[in-house]
Amino acid sequence: MLEAGFAEIEITPPIGTRKIGWLKEIITDAVLSPLCARVAILRSGEGQVALVQLDTLFIAWPEVAAIRKTVGERWGFPGDHILVAATHNHAGPAVVHAGDVPQDEDYAAYLVSRVVTAFERALKDLQPAEIGFGHTYEWAVAHNRRVVMRDGTARTHGTFDDLDALYLEGPIDPEVGVVGVRDLQGAWLGALVNFACHPTHHGGDTVIDAGYPGVLARAMRDWGCPITLFLNGPSGNLHTSDPRAGGRGLSAEAAGAALAADVQRVLPALTFQRDLPLGTASRLLALPYRTLADGEIGGRVRGAQRFIDAAIYERRIPELVAKIRAREGVHRAEIQVLRLGAWFVVAVPGECFVEFGLRIKEGAHPGHAWVVSCANGRAGYLPTEEAFRRGGYETTFGPSSMLAPEAGQMIVDTALELINNI
């Protein structure tokens, strides 16, 4: 018999805290909507898995390790069965060091303690349950934000108002993955939603906000599903702004409402089961950093594109170079797969380009895979090798982009191996 438990807890930082979604220092002066941590725990037979979702930009590996260690010591729940993912919300606190903004260590410790409290609540909420899996497609929320120009370079957030624009570089992933869980009387306990799109609303202003994932969770609660975990897919090159419309796109409210409407159409039509095999597998990869050629360091390679303030790059580059050399040129990153019956949840630590997520989904057939980005640590952007040849913001060496072009495909290959052997 399947058992499930869900919990939600507020993690809103105090006004006056620093934000990190824009690389530069921004001090908050208002809360537009609360930030939350959400936990879902599933048990079936000898198997058990847990998913933690945070309304933050990232989650660093030390905090992931602290959550897993504390939960394991207190309740015996295996730490490597826990997936911890950030929604990649740009309007939240400094959970990591990003750009000119150092990590808020006090907040990071507070975040860990709040997640542990929520985990305890979810464990206490474990009850017999049934689960259903489904999906639909959403075309209006996400857009590929990279425009190929006539000279063969790519411009991140380019638009077709520019007469040198030729075409969008790549696809989107329109799939909205939905997992619904309810008690044996048919009342909703919670849901998981997987969709790929950058949540950057309010990133550059002074408010704290959960973005469109927060709108989705609130709309689902109003509909009757009390706790909805949003698991952001590979969205490194996806955004709500549409280059075909001059960079305009849906507001956070409209994007969240659209996704909520999608989920609300899927949930009532699900076929439910009361038992399913659960499993986990993971592997620690040594992902190579970028070669430290002068052109890379100085931002002079073909198509280089620095955002916000080029001076931030100049201040941070020496530190980045020193870190890469100290780590002997490799970044340690965990790739994790949770098996939920015939469905596989793949957790990757970086901002993968959507092409990698689609490769995993295709390669997992006849199984059904969903990919969760910004999970179990932070690895920066993971662009395709073609994107590296064209340039653009995501490939430009700096605080958010340090790994080598082959890193993304290494993650795909590893994920598929784990899926096939779990």
Side-chain angles (χ1 to χ4, degrees):
M1 173 63 71
L2 174 71
E3 292 184 303
F6 285 77
E8 178 181 83
I9 196 167
E10 189 171 340
I11 57 169
T12 308
I15 290 174
T17 194
R18 293 181 175 91
K19 295 171 65 171
I20 55 171
W22 238 242
L23 295 180
K24 64 181 181 180
E25 182 174 280
I26 299 175
I27 305 299
T28 58
D29 59 13
V31 175
L32 191 60
S33 69
L35 308 186
C36 292
R38 300 178 178 91
V39 178
I41 301 174
L42 302 175
R43 279 183 176 169
S44 183
E46 297 299 317
Q48 55 185 339
V49 298
L51 302 97
V52 177
Q53 175 248 287
L54 309 170
D55 286 335
T56 59
L57 185 70
F58 293 115
I59 179 68
W61 175 253
E63 282 67 55
V64 174
I67 290 167
R68 290 175 170 179
K69 181 176 184 291
T70 305
V71 167
E73 290 176 347
R74 291 189 183 179
W75 303 294
F77 197 99
D80 60 354
H81 291 214
I82 303 172
L83 183 160
V84 186
T87 63
H88 199 47
N89 168 39
H90 281 57
V95 288
V96 299
H97 185 180
D100 272 350
V101 187
Q103 183 192 48
D104 185 333
E105 295 180 359
D106 290 340
Y107 180 82
Y110 165 78
L111 176 65
V112 169
S113 70
R114 296 294 280 174
V115 170
V116 170
T117 298
F119 206 100
E120 180 180 24
R121 293 177 184 175
L123 282 170
K124 291 180 178 178
D125 186 57
L126 280 169
Q127 58 188 287
E130 54 187 17
I131 189 169
F133 300 84
H135 65 136
T136 188
Y137 299 94
E138 174 57 60
W139 301 96
V141 172
H143 307 278
N144 197 294
R145 67 184 188 176
R146 287 172 54 89
V147 177
V148 176
M149 311 303 286
R150 293 182 187 276
D151 65 359
T153 63
R155 305 302 290 171
T156 303
H157 291 305
T159 77
F160 290 92
D161 293 341
D162 189 332
L163 295 181
D164 284 331
L166 281 180
Y167 57 92
L168 293 175
E169 182 185 61
I172 66 167
D173 181 353
E175 184 178 33
V176 182
V178 180
V179 179
V181 183
R182 62 189 189 185
D183 67 21
L184 301 189
Q185 289 71 48
W188 295 110
L189 298 177
L192 312 176
V193 178
N194 178 233
F195 183 72
C197 186
H198 251 81
T200 61
H201 298 94
H202 297 291
D205 62 28
T206 56
V207 303
I208 296 167
D209 185 57
Y212 77 77
V215 175
L216 165 67
R218 293 192 296 274
M220 291 302 300
R221 184 185 302 113
D222 292 342
W223 181 78
C225 184
I227 300 174
T228 298
L229 282 72
F230 178 75
L231 306 171
N232 204 341
S235 57
N237 50 346
L238 306 184
H239 198 274
T240 52
S241 62
D242 186 353
R244 301 167 302 175
R248 296 180 298 277
L250 296 182
S251 66
E253 291 72 21
L259 289 171
D262 293 332
V263 177
Q264 290 161 17
R265 286 194 300 271
V266 172
L267 284 177
L270 296 181
T271 299
F272 287 86
Q273 59 192 98
R274 297 185 177 182
D275 189 19
L276 79 168
L278 301 174
T280 65
S282 63
R283 185 179 302 169
L284 192 65
L285 290 186
L287 299 175
Y289 281 113
R290 202 85 47 85
T291 56
L292 297 177
D294 289 343
E296 287 275 12
I297 293 172
R300 297 186 301 275
V301 295
R302 173 178 162 83
Q305 185 181 12
R306 291 177 169 181
F307 276 171
I308 309 299
D309 182 359
I312 295 174
Y313 289 76
E314 298 300 332
R315 288 191 291 270
R316 287 292 314 281
I317 290 295
E319 174 190 349
L320 297 177
V321 171
K323 179 171 74 172
I324 289 171
R325 289 175 175 159
R327 294 180 176 178
E328 300 180 342
V330 295
H331 177 86
R332 307 290 176 181
E334 179 189 81
I335 311 305
Q336 179 191 43
V337 175
L338 305 185
R339 180 188 176 191
L340 313 179
W343 302 68
F344 301 91
V345 181
V346 180
V348 298
E351 296 181 65
C352 278
F353 270 33
V354 67
E355 289 90 340
F356 293 128
L358 294 172
R359 290 176 197 175
I360 292 173
K361 288 185 174 185
E362 185 176 357
H365 181 77
H368 201 123
W370 292 329
V371 183
V372 182
S373 62
C374 299
N376 300 335
R378 178 192 179 198
Y381 279 105
L382 292 158
T384 63
E385 294 195 35
E386 179 185 10
F388 272 103
R389 291 191 291 270
R390 297 191 183 281
Y393 167 68
E394 302 92 345
T395 70
T396 300
F397 182 70
S400 301
S401 183
M402 293 174 281
L403 295 181
E406 61 267 30
Q409 188 59 44
M410 291 173 63
I411 289 174
V412 172
D413 295 340
T414 300
L416 293 176
E417 288 179 18
L418 293 173
I419 288 172
N420 290 330
N421 291 300
I422 192 171

